Every structure is written in C-alpha cells, then in structure tokens.
Amino acid sequence: PSDTGRVLSIQSHTVQLENSAGYPTFKGQVLNGEQLWELIEGLEANGLLYYTHLLTGYIGSVSFLNTVLKVVDKLRSVNPKLKFVCDPVMGDEGKLYVPPELVMVYREKVVPVASVLTPNQFEAEQLTGSSITSEKDGQEACNILHAAGPSKVVITSINIDGTLLLIGSHLKEKGQSPEQFKIVIPKIPAYFTGTGDLTTALLLGWSNKYPNDLDKAAELAVSSVQALLLRTLADYQKAGYDCQSSSLEIRLIQSLDDIRNPEVKYRAKRY
Ligand code: ATP
Ligand code: MG
Ligand code: NA
Ligand code: MG
C-alpha cells in the first residue's frame, strides 16, 4: 500500500474567525454552501480534483452539508476509490451543538456514503437512535452503522464509569461480522478543545498506511493524542493554571514528534 495521498479537508477551517467558537465571543465570516462549491469549481478548472481522501468535521448547516454531499459525488466521479472520512460532529455529553435538522441529514444521506465514521458516544447515539451505556451497546452501535454504509467505524470515546473506551470496528467483507476492539484510555480530569479533530485526522493518516489494520491505526492515533494531552496538561499546570476551570488549548506544535512517531502505550484488545 502507498503511504502518500491527497486529502481535501472541509471543517471548521471553512470559517475565518479570530478564535474558535469555544470562547465567549467570536467574530469573522462563515463560508456558505455556494462559496464552497465555487472553491470546488476553481479546483476543477485547474485539474486539481483528484483526491484520495475527503475529510469532514464540524459543519454548521443543512445547506452546507448538502453541498458536501455534492462534493463527495464530484470527487468520486474523478476518483471512484475516494475514501470519505466523516467525523459527524453534532454534539457531546448529551447536548447537540448543531441545528437539530442536521441529525437526519447525517443519518439518511451522509452515513450511507461515508467510508470511515468517527462519532463520539453522543453522536453514535444520535445516528443509531439507541443509547450507549455499555461496551456491548458500543459494539452494537458499530454494527448498526456498518449496515448503513461505512466499513470502518471508530467511536472515539464512550464513558463507562469514568474510564474512556475507544471502540473500533472494521467490516472487512460485507455479510461477515466486523473485527471489533477496544482501547482503554484513562480519563484526564480536564476538558480539551480539538481532540476529536486530531483523532480523526490521525486515524485517516494511519489507516492510509495500514488499510487492513484498524487496531494498529487506532493504537497509534490514541498514543499520539494521549502524549499531547499529557503535555498540554503539564504545561498549564506549570503555569499555575486551574485545569478544571475551562477548556485547554492543545499543544499541537510542541507535540509534533509524538504525532509523527508515537510510542505505542495504549493497546487494542480484540473482542
Ligand atoms: P471534540 O469534543 O473535540 O469534538 P469528540 O467528542 O469528538 O471530541 P472524544 O471522543 O471526546 O471526541 O475525544 C477524542 C479522543 O481524545 C479520545 O479518543 C481520547 O483519546 C482523547 N480525549 C479527549 N478528552 C480526553 C480526556 N479528558 N482524557 C483522556 N483522553 C481524552
Ligand atoms: Mg468528547
Ligand atoms: Na469523534
Ligand atoms: Mg468531535
């Protein structure tokens, strides 16, 4: 397998805001669906529409999400093997942070065309319509999502009694049962911004290198993210900051070595 590729990434980068929406206020502009389509036309005019992967994250409106669906079709008309890695960002910890109409669009139109799906616990519940309170529920949610389309599903975390579990599931052949695993992640008592984006991006990268080994891709992704989060926490603590009080900005640049070359300290356990 080749370890190079071309990724078109559409997510919160389709805004220009002076800070993330996690702050009390934000100013700037948000790209709309027509403006996204103009960019695609520009790429097409220059022969730049060949991508191996489309990565999507936070999308704030139904019209933008519908344009993303048009982009999927367009990119697949150029490269039928395009992998669509979809982080169905809708909410967390029991709360939606997108308009509720988006849920049905994800369920009915987006999930069916996704290759890889990386919901958190709440998003997996929204997409399957069933609550996840155990590992078994998590595995079952993956089965439901496979039946709807994607061959790889990673629930990036479910919270079971204060411990985080990542649950991965790879349906290698239709009609067979998926290979499923968990990675146990000790919960750090702080709240971070950007962990979901980073996890999905790393899963994309490592899955491109190891297309038949989702366990390994997830181990590498989790190990990078954890090294980065521990560095972030230590950094804030050194500055005397109360880490419980608000969300911490992840130390991305300072963690480049851990991102490129993680030491695998978190292991996948097969079910
Ligand atoms: P986001 O809120 O950025 O959208 P998400 O809800 O989509 O994130 P999560 O499953 O919460 O995604 O987090 C992604 C990964 O980040 C997890 O797999 C875990 O490795 C790590 N992570 C996030 N928060 C913590 C934490 N408090 N302690 C340990 N690991 C964490
Ligand atoms: Mg979360
Ligand atoms: Na996620
Ligand atoms: Mg997320």
Side-chain angles (χ1 to χ4, degrees):
S2 149
D3 61 358
T4 62
R6 278 168 56 85
V7 182
L8 181 64
S9 171
I10 304 176
Q11 47 194 302
S12 37
H13 309 121
T14 45
V15 300
Q16 45 180 355
L17 304 177
E18 100 293 356
N19 54 242
S20 84
Y23 284 80
T25 70
F26 58 91
K27 298 255 178 210
Q29 296 80 36
V30 181
L31 195 79
N32 66 33
E34 288 87 79
Q35 292 163 330
L36 168 64
W37 194 248
E38 259 182 60
L39 296 179
I40 297 298
E41 287 174 338
L43 289 170
E44 185 171 35
N46 291 305
L48 295 173
L49 269 193
Y50 180 88
Y51 285 95
T52 56
H53 297 78
L54 170 66
L55 169 63
T56 65
Y58 177 83
I59 289 165
S61 73
V62 169
S63 72
F64 198 91
L65 191 51
N66 278 319
T67 307
V68 167
L69 287 161
K70 264 174 70 177
V71 174
V72 175
D73 282 349
K74 186 86 187 166
L75 296 181
R76 285 199 168 135
S77 75
V78 178
N79 177 14
K81 290 191 174 154
L82 174 96
K83 299 245 181 322
F84 173 21
V85 180
C86 174
D87 185 0
V89 178
M90 294 187 285
D92 209 348
E93 298 183 1
K95 279 202 218 82
L96 272 183
Y97 39 61
V98 295
E101 311 86 80
L102 245 72
V103 177
M104 273 303 149
V105 182
Y106 270 111
R107 254 171 112 146
E108 287 169 8
K109 299 207 265 179
V110 181
V111 171
V113 296
S115 320
V116 182
L117 200 70
T118 61
N120 61 29
Q121 177 172 9
F122 176 69
E123 291 154 351
E125 291 176 335
Q126 293 293 312
L127 294 175
T128 59
S130 38
S131 74
I132 300 173
T133 58
S134 66
E135 293 182 46
K136 262 246 139 315
D137 291 345
Q139 292 175 264
E140 184 50 31
C142 292
N143 295 337
I144 294 169
L145 293 168
H146 284 311
S151 60
K152 291 178 184 169
V153 176
V154 175
I155 303 180
T156 51
S157 67
I158 66 176
N159 195 331
I160 305 278
D161 304 327
T163 298
L164 299 179
L165 294 180
L166 174 147
I167 295 188
S169 186
H170 187 184
L171 183 65
K172 289 192 165 165
E173 251 165 280
K174 280 227 156 93
Q176 297 199 337
S177 33
E179 295 178 0
Q180 298 189 319
F181 62 88
K182 67 172 167 185
I183 300 180
V184 178
I185 304 167
K187 190 170 177 44
I188 301 167
Y191 190 83
F192 302 95
T193 309
T195 56
D197 288 351
L198 178 63
T199 301
T200 300
L202 292 173
L203 283 169
L204 184 160
W206 291 118
S207 298
N208 188 46
K209 188 154 186 184
Y210 304 111
N212 282 313
D213 197 343
L214 186 60
D215 307 47
K216 183 164 182 172
E219 286 176 345
L220 288 158
V222 167
S223 296
S224 289
V225 170
Q226 293 307 308
L228 168 146
L229 293 185
L230 292 171
R231 173 174 294 105
T232 301
L233 187 72
D235 231 46
Y236 273 91
Q237 282 171 341
K238 225 174 4 190
Y241 191 87
D242 172 13
C243 293
Q244 309 269 41
S245 74
S246 74
S247 94
L248 310 186
E249 292 277 6
I250 56 176
R251 296 293 186 249
L252 208 47
I253 301 301
Q254 297 87 333
S255 304
L256 281 181
D257 286 344
D258 293 316
I259 289 171
R260 289 199 186 101
N261 195 14
E263 187 190 333
V264 173
K265 291 185 179 168
Y266 300 81
R267 293 284 176 191
K269 293 184 194 75
R270 276 291 175 88
Y271 285 111

